[in-house]
Amino acid sequence: MQKFYANTLCYKDFYDFLKVLNSHQAHIEALHVKNNDFIIELKNDYEFYEDFKKHHFVLKNKEVNNGKITLVFEKSL
């Protein structure tokens, strides 16, 4: 049951994460999910940080490298 609950929670978090990206019509280069980290690569920065906070995603790291922006969000529990 614990494994089922963990996977269900992960899918809900993933859905919420995509919902924020979609609401800002963000064009992403790549998306990775690893443990509680949601990693996205973008060409442009967007004003969606407050919306992510509403869904309990915290910006953990931001890197700009060769014109690509990599953001690492962590799901706070």
Side-chain angles (χ1 to χ4, degrees), residues 4-21:
F4 173 78
Y5 179 74
N7 288 338
T8 302
L9 187 60
C10 182
Y11 292 133
K12 169 81 168 92
D13 294 339
F14 185 64
Y15 172 78
D16 289 341
F17 192 82
L18 290 178
K19 188 165 68 173
V20 172
L21 289 174

Side-chain angles (χ1 to χ4, degrees), residues 58-70:
V58 177
L59 183 62
K60 187 174 168 181
N61 190 21
K62 179 179 180 177
E63 293 180 13
V64 179
N65 199 3
N66 295 329
K68 271 192 185 174
I69 302 166
T70 302

Side-chain angles (χ1 to χ4, degrees), residues 17-34:
F17 192 82
L18 290 178
K19 188 165 68 173
V20 172
L21 289 174
N22 189 43
S23 71
H24 288 272
Q25 298 180 350
H27 299 283
I28 61 172
E29 297 280 317
L31 170 65
H32 309 279
V33 179
K34 191 174 192 177

